[in-house]
């Protein structure tokens, strides 16, 4: 990552201030983990059996544990460490529940945690090509983030994004590795757009077309819109989530992050969900079942986007 400063329409390079120790990265992330990843910090240097987890966090949006590991070297295997740590997490669930309750002062029960959404975040100043390639599978529950510190107190974070349709289970030959990998793969679900689109084997092709067209319109609203994948929803966020989509065989549900009275539904087609349990953020929902209805649904999404901005 290169960073430049603009002064009198001239660019000058901002120098990198290298991290000397892993601990520097760890302290910085732990103090700002909510701002960076929207996670709750739980414990630093958690020991489980003969292993030590750098940082344990909790994701309240998915009710799941997240492990963060920091690295400066490029000669280690994120796959081996990642699956070993997730296996330890799944085999010692009570220890993690106890640690959360004792450290945070809050109380969660074992069945309140969504263990299928457990994941690991690896953070390093630089990952090797081998490390980046090793996670290029559709169902690996790891994230790689490269961190850069600059001289003028700026920090850059860049996620290594992978796109692959290959199942990692098909590539492992060792019986020992396969046993650990199978256990983790059987319990943990990698959520992405394909997970939602392909939940049903009998989904009509028009639903895929509707989603692609609606997604393109939503992303056109701004340059920095993020897609947030939940277990039941696909959310779109800029600063905060402004709409959630729910994919069904008969159409798409659109949840609008607006309170009662804030929406101009001039065709009176939305339902008030403020007093009923529902997926997504907000108090309005509309169902669209045809491509022709996308424009009206998008007009409501734009209202929510402008309100959040």
């Amino acid at each position: 990552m290169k960073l430049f400063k603009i002064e009198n329409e001239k660019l000058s390079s901002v120098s990198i201030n290298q991290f000397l120790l892993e601990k520097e990265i760890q302290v910085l992330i732990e103090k700002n983990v909510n701002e960076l990843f929207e996670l709750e910090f739980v414990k630093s240097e958690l020991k489980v059996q003969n292993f030590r987890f750098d940082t344990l966090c909790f994701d309240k949006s998915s009710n799941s544990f997240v492990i963060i590991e920091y690295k400066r070297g490029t000669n280690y295997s994120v796959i081996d460490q990642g699956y070993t740590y997730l296996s330890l997490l799944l085999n010692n669930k009570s220890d993690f529940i106890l640690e959360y309750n004792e450290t945070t002062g809050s109380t969660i029960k074992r069945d309140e945690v969504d263990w299928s959404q457990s994941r690991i975040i690896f953070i390093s100043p630089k990952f090797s090509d081998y490390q980046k390639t090793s996670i290029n599978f559709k169902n690996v529950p790891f994230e790689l983030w490269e961190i850069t510190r600059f001289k003028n107190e700026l920090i850059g974070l860049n996620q290594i994004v992978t796109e692959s349709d290959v199942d990692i289970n098909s590539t492992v030959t060792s019986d020992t590795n396969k046993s650990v990998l199978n256990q983790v793969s059987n319990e943990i679900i990698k959520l992405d757009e394909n997970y939602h689109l392909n939940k049903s084997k009998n989904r009509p092709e028009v639903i895929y077309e509707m989603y692609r067209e609606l997604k393109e319109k939503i992303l056109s609203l701004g340059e920095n819109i993020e897609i947030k994948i939940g277990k039941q929803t696909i959310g779109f966020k800029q600063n905060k989530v402004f709409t959630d989509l729910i994919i069904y065989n008969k159409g798409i549900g659109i949840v609008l992050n607006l309170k009662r009275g804030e929406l101009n539904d001039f065709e009176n087609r939305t339902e008030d969900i403020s007093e009923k349990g529902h997926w997504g953020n907000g108090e309005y929902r509309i169902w669209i079942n045809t491509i022709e209805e996308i424009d009206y649904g998008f007009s409501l999404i734009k209202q929510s986007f402008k309100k959040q901005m």
Side-chain angles (χ1 to χ4, degrees):
M1 176 187 295
K2 290 185 177 181
L3 191 68
F4 295 88
K5 180 181 179 181
I6 302 175
E7 192 170 350
N8 296 326
E9 298 185 345
K10 294 290 185 179
L11 296 179
S12 59
S13 178
V14 179
S15 301
I16 293 175
N17 183 11
Q18 299 281 1
F19 291 101
L20 300 178
L21 302 170
E22 285 182 17
K23 193 66 177 179
E24 291 182 87
I25 304 174
Q26 182 173 353
V27 170
L28 183 66
I29 297 297
E30 288 182 347
K31 288 185 176 180
N32 299 280
V33 72
N34 182 52
E35 288 76 13
L36 294 172
F37 297 106
E38 297 181 3
L39 300 174
E40 178 186 15
F41 172 73
V42 179
K43 180 78 172 181
S44 181
E45 307 294 340
L46 173 65
K47 188 174 181 180
V48 179
Q49 295 183 16
N50 295 323
F51 297 86
R52 190 179 299 275
F53 297 79
D54 288 343
T55 302
L56 177 66
C57 296
F58 193 77
D59 186 343
K60 289 186 174 180
S61 66
S62 62
N63 289 328
S64 60
F65 284 103
V66 179
I67 297 165
I68 303 180
E69 291 292 313
Y70 313 93
K71 301 297 176 187
R72 289 196 71 255
T74 58
N75 297 321
Y76 64 93
S77 169
V78 293
I79 287 290
D80 291 343
Q81 183 180 12
Y83 276 103
T84 298
Y85 278 21
L86 286 177
S87 179
L88 282 166
L89 169 63
L90 297 174
N91 287 325
N92 297 275
K93 294 176 181 176
S94 297
D95 292 342
F96 285 86
I97 293 292
L98 180 62
E99 189 64 53
Y100 179 87
N101 291 342
E102 289 185 348
T103 303
T104 66
S106 302
T107 301
I108 56 171
K109 297 179 181 178
R110 182 180 174 129
D111 59 0
E112 292 175 338
V113 176
D114 188 349
W115 302 97
S116 73
Q117 292 308 293
S118 306
R119 58 193 168 101
I120 294 183
I121 297 174
F122 289 100
I123 300 177
S124 173
K126 183 174 178 58
F127 291 102
S128 67
D129 290 340
Y130 170 76
Q131 290 168 327
K132 295 175 185 178
T133 303
S134 71
I135 69 158
N136 193 27
F137 299 95
K138 66 178 181 179
N139 53 339
V140 175
F142 312 143
E143 296 177 15
L144 301 188
W145 290 80
E146 289 185 332
I147 185 169
T148 306
R149 182 174 61 183
F150 298 92
K151 290 287 188 181
N152 57 350
E153 303 301 318
L154 289 175
I155 292 290
L157 271 177
N158 178 52
Q159 184 177 8
I160 307 302
V161 179
T162 60
E163 295 182 2
S164 174
D165 292 328
V166 179
D167 188 329
I168 191 173
N169 292 278
S170 65
T171 67
V172 179
T173 56
S174 164
D175 290 340
T176 301
N177 289 342
K178 200 157 194 172
S179 174
V180 172
L181 190 146
N182 284 341
Q183 181 210 4
V184 172
S185 297
N186 288 336
E187 289 199 50
I188 293 179
I189 301 171
K190 178 69 178 295
L191 296 182
D192 55 19
E193 290 173 288
N194 288 329
Y195 167 81
H196 287 277
L197 292 171
N198 300 320
K199 256 187 191 180
S200 171
K201 295 180 180 179
N202 302 316
R203 184 150 290 160
E205 182 63 31
V206 68
I207 303 300
Y208 297 89
E209 294 178 21
M210 289 174 62
Y211 174 72
R212 285 191 290 265
E213 183 171 333
L214 188 54
K215 172 187 172 182
E216 184 177 339
K217 287 179 176 291
I218 294 172
L219 294 180
S220 72
L221 290 171
E223 294 183 356
N224 299 313
I225 294 175
E226 300 176 44
I227 299 177
K228 304 290 287 185
I229 307 293
K231 204 162 189 178
Q232 307 296 343
T233 62
I234 301 174
F236 292 83
K237 170 185 176 182
Q238 187 162 25
N239 299 325
K240 64 190 298 188
V241 174
F242 57 89
T243 191
D244 292 283
L245 304 184
I246 307 167
I247 313 296
Y248 284 95
N249 280 2
K250 294 183 179 181
I252 297 176
I254 301 174
V255 181
L256 305 158
N257 196 0
L258 294 170
K259 296 189 180 298
R260 239 182 342 185
E262 293 181 337
L263 179 69
N264 178 20
D265 177 17
F266 46 89
E267 291 187 7
N268 195 29
R269 292 176 52 192
T270 59
E271 57 180 318
D272 181 355
I273 54 175
S274 60
E275 296 183 1
K276 62 172 75 171
H278 63 277
W279 296 322
N281 301 271
E283 299 185 355
Y284 288 96
R285 181 173 61 202
I286 183 173
W287 301 99
I288 60 173
N289 304 305
T290 65
I291 290 179
E292 289 72 26
E293 295 176 288
I294 287 176
D295 285 341
Y296 185 71
F298 180 60
S299 72
L300 304 181
I301 291 173
K302 284 196 292 185
Q303 293 184 47
S304 181
F305 175 76
K306 291 177 180 178
K307 179 69 176 179
Q308 304 307 333
M309 292 295 289

